[in-house]
Amino acid sequence: MARLIEPEELYARVGIQDNALNTVNQLVEDRIAGRLEEADRFLLLPDLLGFWLTGRAVAERTNASTTSLLDPVSGDWAWELIDRLGLPRRIFPPLIEPGEVVGTILTGPAAGLPLVAVGSHDTASAVVGTPLQGPDDAYLSSGTWSLIGMELDSPCSARHPGQPTSPTRSASTAPSATSRT
């Protein structure tokens, strides 16, 4: 994918380092291999489960932020990047917020009940649950990755003095996923 966009530019646009396992790389490889020609949508696992339960194909915003295809400033899909990578716009489902009703469960013992989206990106859910009180408070979230961060009023994806040219790892969540009122 580096021939389509430099890793530093990708980071500056979406706040996530280029990593072979990231969704953006998988989708570019799928496009090159012709696997997206007949695709109707792509759904991340939590959204696929919601689709199976409700029949509604959507993308929960905090998890969509992990794809490297979400604009952290607008909170929408990074359409300019998606077009540049040659990915078909038709596969990107509408975005929804945590707490929004995905749809009504269609079958089984819960049929007729609403399915509510959660902050399905684990770091987003962990950050919302931290007892941050002041503007200088930071969090450390450890699991598959260890991430340290702060809640900010807006995303910070620019390189700063002393920061490595290639970021070591970052997490991105939509601004609404980590803002507190």
Side-chain angles (χ1 to χ4, degrees):
M1 190 177 80
R3 67 185 181 275
L4 299 173
I5 186 169
E6 291 294 325
E8 292 81 10
E9 182 185 351
L10 180 68
Y11 182 77
R13 285 176 177 259
V14 298
I16 298 179
Q17 87 170 61
D18 186 25
N19 188 321
L21 62 86
N22 289 358
T23 306
V24 65
N25 290 303
Q26 295 176 40
L27 287 173
V28 168
E29 289 302 316
D30 285 343
R31 179 189 57 80
I32 291 167
R35 291 186 290 265
L36 297 181
E37 291 174 9
E38 295 184 35
D40 179 52
R41 292 259 188 265
F42 97 91
L43 297 173
L44 299 171
L45 191 54
D47 303 319
L48 179 61
L49 294 173
F51 174 73
W52 287 340
L53 289 169
T54 68
R56 184 174 176 217
V58 295
E60 187 276 316
R61 193 174 314 276
T62 67
N63 211 26
S65 75
T66 68
T67 65
S68 295
L69 294 165
L70 190 82
D71 181 327
V73 175
S74 72
D76 197 4
W77 292 113
W79 294 117
E80 183 179 313
L81 176 62
I82 289 165
D83 293 341
R84 180 171 169 183
L85 298 175
L87 300 173
R89 285 182 175 223
R90 73 178 183 283
I91 68 171
F92 292 88
L95 293 160
I96 63 168
E97 298 293 335
E100 187 174 328
V101 174
V102 175
T104 302
I105 297 174
L106 300 174
T107 62
L113 295 176
L115 179 68
V116 178
V118 299
S120 56
H121 181 236
D122 57 346
T123 302
S125 289
V127 171
V128 166
T130 59
L132 302 176
Q133 297 175 7
D136 296 327
D137 289 355
Y139 64 86
L140 172 63
S141 176
S142 292
T144 305
W145 308 97
S146 287
L147 309 166
I148 191 163
M150 299 175 75
E151 288 186 318
L152 304 173
D153 292 331
S154 61
C156 178
S157 60
R159 184 175 179 273
H160 297 285
Q163 177 184 1
T165 302
S166 294
T168 55
R169 179 69 182 147
S170 65
S172 174
T173 57
S176 62
T178 60
S179 61
R180 294 180 191 256
T181 55

